[in-house]
Amino acid sequence: MLNVTITPHLEFLNADKAGQKLFVMLKLRPNAEVSASRPSTTFSFVIDTSGSMYEVLEGEETIPTGNSYFLDGKQYTQVTGGKTKIDQVIESLERLVSSGQADSRDRIALVRFDDSASVLLPLTASTDTASLKNAIGQLRNFSGGTRMALGMEEALNILKNCDLSSRRTLIFTDGQTFDESDCRDLATQFAEAGIPITALGVGEYNEDLLLYLSDRTGGRVFNVVETQTHTGTTDIPISELPNTIFEEVQQAQSEVINNLKLNISTVKGVKLARISRVYPDSAEIALDKKPYLIGSAIANDDTVFMLEFDLESHSQAKVRIAQLGLTYDIPGQQRRGELPPQNLVLQFVAGHGGSAQTNPEVMGYVQQRNISGIVDRAANLADQNPEQAAELLETARRLTVKIGNDAMVESLNLGIEEVRKTRKLSSGTRKTVKMGAKGKTVKMSNDSELGLSEDQIRNLTGS
């Protein structure tokens, strides 16, 4: 049902040496039968209907009036013509409903939030286009502040009992929420229920919060821009919102394995330090709850996780340092599966172990994972130490060039240029760079060779 490979980055480590790292690649791939079992999906759209969503997007269709106005405490330049953000969201959802992208196996719910929240449509068959379009049209009837946790809570209540289905919540917001701590608490409940969150932000949203929501739940995150002034980056222009929503529906339909729970037990002197999803995109997995909630696996491709262990000194021997086991759901077949405990065995040898060959595929994913850490450090340092921030971004760019992720390279180029010219990162560029580093990753192989040693990467990221 689920093919699993477990690969350490080294075949052996130094005996009697403390403070060593072990990186272990956990690769999951559904078999052909499971990959063919397309699951039903239950999708909740959680849409920001605060006042700023009625801001007209500037572009070729707009004409400046020369006047300005205040909305949600911010000043805007008034224009005529064009579309508002809420117009774009409504058109995107209507196109999804009319596209036939979903079928009778799929259900959709619609939730809106501002100062309050309400369910505009409970879970409804995606083929009931009349009901869906009627609910979507109601999004224009609301306005107010921004309390995203209220909308998240409604979505969780809708989806949490929909077992053995591919579930997903998509949140679209354009501002700072007043209840950030509540959103973070709710993200834990989404993760425990096996519901990924796809977070899309446009404008002055809190990127750290959206990154947390996607990481904590094993979801994805997108930086949506009003107009894409820097082509080639990972930014999503709002005019491309329909395509992004289509992709998220396809993603949910491809998740033939979900509710993955990873059990890890370690022996004395071995500590699990980190779990990351490294392919087909990146996410950090929380370690605060066992078993570890690691998300989903897609059909006809690998889903790859990186486990990082800290090891104390050990005498020369071949020893079991940990056991790994998995449980998971197969929604398309309406059943559950498990991987019995697997032993992770490592050889400790006397003498200089540095001559051991590292596995290039594992280290390629480690380096790719660490790019987001380098970018985060650069973003935090940009205002206080722009020289060091530029150096870190350049290191991330060099790694990304070797990996071959062109869109991420363009995002990093933008950040490097701005830091060197202005000695800081603007809010918009900071989002472009940070969100770009959390996007799609590149599949590695045993032929991968990225040019930095394990120790260099660890030093750069402070691990």
Side-chain angles (χ1 to χ4, degrees):
M1 293 187 293
L2 182 63
N3 300 315
V4 180
T5 58
I6 301 171
T7 310
H9 84 287
L10 284 172
E11 294 182 1
F12 59 85
L13 291 178
N14 277 324
D16 302 314
K17 179 181 179 182
Q20 297 186 81
K21 286 279 189 185
L22 179 68
F23 300 103
V24 177
M25 178 177 66
L26 176 66
K27 185 186 292 185
L28 312 179
R29 190 182 185 100
N31 66 19
E33 179 189 357
V34 172
S35 290
S37 62
R38 197 282 225 182
S40 63
T41 66
T42 48
F43 225 107
S44 64
F45 291 93
V46 181
I47 307 300
D48 188 342
T49 53
S50 62
S52 55
M53 287 290 290
Y54 294 87
E55 175 193 1
V56 175
L57 302 171
E58 295 185 41
E60 294 180 1
E61 299 177 359
T62 61
I63 302 172
T65 65
N67 300 320
S68 61
Y69 64 98
F70 285 88
L71 188 65
D72 288 353
K74 297 176 184 177
Q75 185 174 9
Y76 297 94
T77 301
Q78 189 177 56
V79 297
T80 60
K83 298 175 182 177
T84 65
K85 297 172 190 174
I86 200 68
D87 289 336
Q88 287 279 18
V89 171
I90 288 171
E91 288 187 14
S92 298
L93 294 176
E94 288 178 338
R95 283 178 60 181
L96 172 66
V97 170
S98 302
S99 69
Q101 183 68 47
D103 60 30
S104 58
R105 292 170 288 184
D106 306 312
R107 293 182 296 166
I108 294 172
L110 182 62
V111 177
R112 41 70 49 185
F113 70 91
D114 41 62
D115 290 316
S116 62
S118 59
V119 178
L120 298 183
L121 187 74
L123 281 175
T124 300
S126 65
T127 51
D128 187 355
T129 56
S131 296
L132 291 168
K133 287 185 177 181
N134 178 64
I136 292 167
Q138 294 177 42
L139 288 169
R140 290 193 180 91
N141 298 339
F142 303 91
S143 184
T146 307
R147 297 186 64 191
M148 189 163 68
L150 297 179
M152 290 177 61
E153 188 170 12
E154 295 285 2
L156 180 62
N157 289 334
I158 290 171
L159 297 184
K160 64 183 179 182
N161 294 319
C162 299
D163 294 334
L164 292 174
S165 176
S166 182
R167 297 173 290 178
R168 184 172 294 267
T169 289
L170 184 146
I171 299 174
F172 186 94
T173 185
D174 78 331
Q176 304 274 345
T177 186
F178 292 106
D179 49 9
E180 178 177 346
S181 62
D182 293 335
C183 292
R184 291 175 180 267
D185 290 342
L186 281 164
T188 299
Q189 297 181 48
F190 273 82
E192 291 172 351
I195 306 170
I197 292 175
T198 294
L200 299 97
V202 61
E204 295 300 319
Y205 64 91
N206 182 342
E207 71 269 20
D208 289 330
L209 174 59
L210 296 198
L211 286 166
Y212 179 86
L213 298 182
S214 63
D215 272 349
R216 188 69 179 86
T217 62
R220 304 208 291 176
V221 64
F222 296 92
N223 182 43
V224 181
V225 293
E226 296 181 14
T227 55
Q228 191 170 36
T229 55
H230 302 282
T231 58
T233 67
T234 54
D235 292 339
I236 305 295
I238 199 167
S239 60
E240 289 296 311
L241 189 58
N243 292 334
T244 303
I245 292 175
F246 290 164
E247 289 176 4
E248 287 308 293
V249 172
Q250 291 174 331
Q251 175 78 12
Q253 292 171 348
S254 73
E255 289 174 351
V256 294
I257 298 284
N258 60 26
N259 200 26
L260 276 160
K261 296 179 180 179
L262 174 64
N263 290 282
I264 301 178
S265 60
T266 58
V267 301
K268 184 179 179 180
V270 178
K271 178 184 177 183
L272 176 66
R274 187 176 179 185
I275 303 175
S276 309
R277 186 178 68 219
V278 292
Y279 181 83
D281 49 26
S282 62
E284 290 298 314
I285 309 300
L287 301 182
D288 58 350
K289 186 176 180 62
K290 295 181 180 180
Y292 304 111
L293 310 169
I294 63 173
S296 307
I298 59 176
N300 302 309
D301 200 358
D302 299 324
T303 300
V304 184
F305 298 89
M306 190 60 58
L307 316 180
E308 181 178 325
F309 295 91
D310 293 327
L311 286 76
E312 296 178 3
S313 176
H314 200 286
S315 59
Q316 182 176 353
K318 186 175 184 179
V319 297
R320 186 191 73 191
I321 66 168
Q323 278 191 328
L324 281 65
L326 281 169
T327 61
Y328 51 89
D329 294 346
I330 313 171
Q333 296 183 352
Q334 292 292 289
R335 60 176 172 153
R336 293 182 167 89
E338 69 172 340
L339 174 75
Q342 306 290 303
N343 291 329
L344 179 57
V345 178
L346 194 64
Q347 180 79 49
F348 290 87
V349 299
H352 182 62
S355 59
Q357 290 294 314
T358 60
N359 183 292
E361 182 181 8
V362 177
M363 289 311 299
Y365 281 123
V366 170
Q367 293 183 13
Q368 200 166 179
R369 177 203 69 174
N370 284 343
I371 289 172
S372 63
I374 297 171
V375 169
D376 282 344
R377 288 188 64 201
N380 293 333
L381 283 169
D383 293 341
Q384 294 79 27
N385 192 334
E387 291 84 4
Q388 187 177 357
E391 289 175 6
L392 287 170
L393 289 174
E394 178 57 40
T395 298
R397 190 196 71 83
R398 180 158 60 92
L399 282 171
T400 307
V401 167
K402 291 182 177 181
I403 290 166
N405 194 329
D406 294 339
M408 195 185 297
V409 169
E410 289 304 314
S411 298
L412 291 167
N413 283 339
L414 176 64
I416 293 168
E417 181 181 5
E418 185 170 300
V419 169
R420 287 177 172 164
K421 283 185 177 180
T422 68
R423 302 183 64 78
K424 64 180 183 180
L425 279 177
S426 65
S427 173
T429 301
R430 190 183 305 271
K431 289 179 173 63
T432 294
V433 172
K434 290 177 69 173
M435 306 288 259
K438 297 293 290 187
K440 292 182 179 179
T441 52
V442 175
K443 180 175 279 192
M444 310 306 296
S445 71
N446 283 323
D447 298 324
S448 303
E449 182 57 57
L450 302 183
L452 286 184
S453 71
E454 173 189 338
D455 287 340
Q456 287 174 313
I457 290 291
R458 286 171 56 190
N459 289 335
L460 284 168
T461 55
S463 62

